[in-house]
Amino acid sequence: MTPKKHPTFKEIDAIFRPRSVAVVGASANPDTPGYDYVASMQEFGFSGAIYPVNPKGGEILGLAVAKSLAEVPGDVDYVISCIPSDYILDLVGQAVQRNVKAMQLFTGRFSETGREEDVELEGRLREAIDKAGIRLIGPNCMGVLNPAHGMSFRRDMSHQAGGVGFLSQSGNLLFEITHFGEPRGLRFSKAVSYGNALDLDETDFIEYFARDPETKVIGAYVEGVRDGRRFLAALKRASAKK
């Protein structure tokens, strides 16, 4: 596997500020992540286009549902995937056709299972996004929070923007810190749950927050480091600024 191309500040900033988002695997069932992503962005006041995608079509929260990414009527900057891992490579292919810049995979069942076939699928996913030039958050993660831009993965996360940037491999821990931190005075510039870190990892986000003018303090929950030397160098640079 070839070494990844390190992201630019502009590439990650665009993920926190997409102009349009497609939720693939969107659902009208309020007890599903495919509903939560759509409902959260609506409640947070996302000003861009939100495109629910589900083969059944229909309507979700007042929005027409496209039956595939190919049928979405407008440009798509950012794709959130809530579909099973068996279909993820097909989705990457569709994203290439729509010139998608970045994807976030709530989709799990990759290397975190420890199963050989799931590890192999994650490797194929890495090859596919590298070839496509698409940046990826995840797989097996909850995604991003940017209150000022209307981005969230749960409606009960912090709605007020502030100066704390937070990165977490655990989505549940990220939610609890933002949710329970708000009444204690914590306000977040941006936050991200990045899961398996197949592409964008802990070092990439630390480097981003170090340069982000909206972030004054950086917090992190890291379960594992992909590149120790690069990580320590990023910490040194970030701690000189933030």
Side-chain angles (χ1 to χ4, degrees):
M1 186 177 296
T2 58
K4 77 168 187 177
K5 178 185 176 183
H6 296 315
T8 64
F9 176 87
K10 186 176 180 179
E11 283 179 314
I12 296 183
D13 199 54
I15 291 172
F16 283 110
R17 308 173 192 272
R19 294 168 299 178
S20 56
V21 179
V23 181
V24 180
S27 172
N29 181 350
D31 295 325
T32 62
Y35 180 94
D36 280 341
Y37 283 110
V38 176
S40 297
M41 285 187 288
Q42 287 187 329
E43 187 162 318
F44 270 69
F46 180 69
S47 60
I50 304 171
Y51 299 115
V53 178
N54 189 298
K56 296 179 181 178
E59 183 179 289
I60 295 173
L61 293 167
L63 301 173
V65 179
K67 293 185 177 180
S68 70
L69 196 58
E71 294 185 13
V72 168
D75 294 333
V76 179
D77 284 345
Y78 185 55
V79 170
I80 298 171
S81 169
C82 301
I83 61 175
S85 58
D86 290 347
Y87 304 102
I88 206 66
L89 296 179
D90 288 339
L91 180 59
V92 173
Q94 293 177 40
V96 171
Q97 298 300 315
R98 297 306 306 266
N99 295 313
V100 170
K101 298 177 179 64
M103 300 176 68
Q104 177 250 314
L105 304 191
F106 174 79
T107 304
R109 294 188 66 82
F110 290 94
S111 64
E112 76 277 3
T113 69
R115 297 171 56 185
E116 183 178 347
E117 59 267 35
D118 296 334
V119 173
E120 190 269 340
L121 177 59
E122 186 169 291
R124 291 168 62 197
L125 172 61
R126 167 71 187 275
E127 293 173 359
I129 61 169
D130 284 350
K131 183 177 180 180
I134 294 174
R135 305 310 319 207
L136 183 80
I137 301 177
N140 186 37
C141 72
M142 298 299 294
V144 303
L145 169 71
N146 183 355
H149 194 70
M151 292 290 290
S152 178
F153 55 82
R154 281 185 57 150
R155 288 167 284 173
D156 48 357
M157 295 180 79
S158 175
H159 282 64
Q160 299 184 56
V164 180
F166 202 91
L167 56 135
S168 173
Q169 283 193 273
S170 166
N172 285 334
L173 184 139
L174 178 61
F175 161 70
E176 292 193 359
I177 285 177
T178 58
H179 177 74
F180 294 110
E182 184 171 30
R184 292 165 170 80
L186 289 177
R187 303 288 183 269
F188 294 85
S189 55
K190 304 174 185 74
V192 59
S193 153
Y194 61 94
N196 292 12
L198 180 62
D199 178 31
L200 300 178
D201 61 27
E202 58 288 333
T203 306
D204 297 321
F205 289 113
I206 285 173
E207 291 183 335
Y208 170 79
F209 285 132
R211 295 181 59 190
D212 177 34
E214 297 172 354
T215 297
K216 310 304 179 188
V217 176
I218 303 171
Y221 170 74
V222 178
E223 296 175 353
V225 174
R226 291 271 173 162
D227 183 336
R229 292 182 183 275
R230 182 170 172 254
F231 179 70
L232 290 174
L235 287 178
K236 185 176 181 179
R237 289 191 295 269
S239 64
K241 298 178 179 180
K242 303 292 170 81

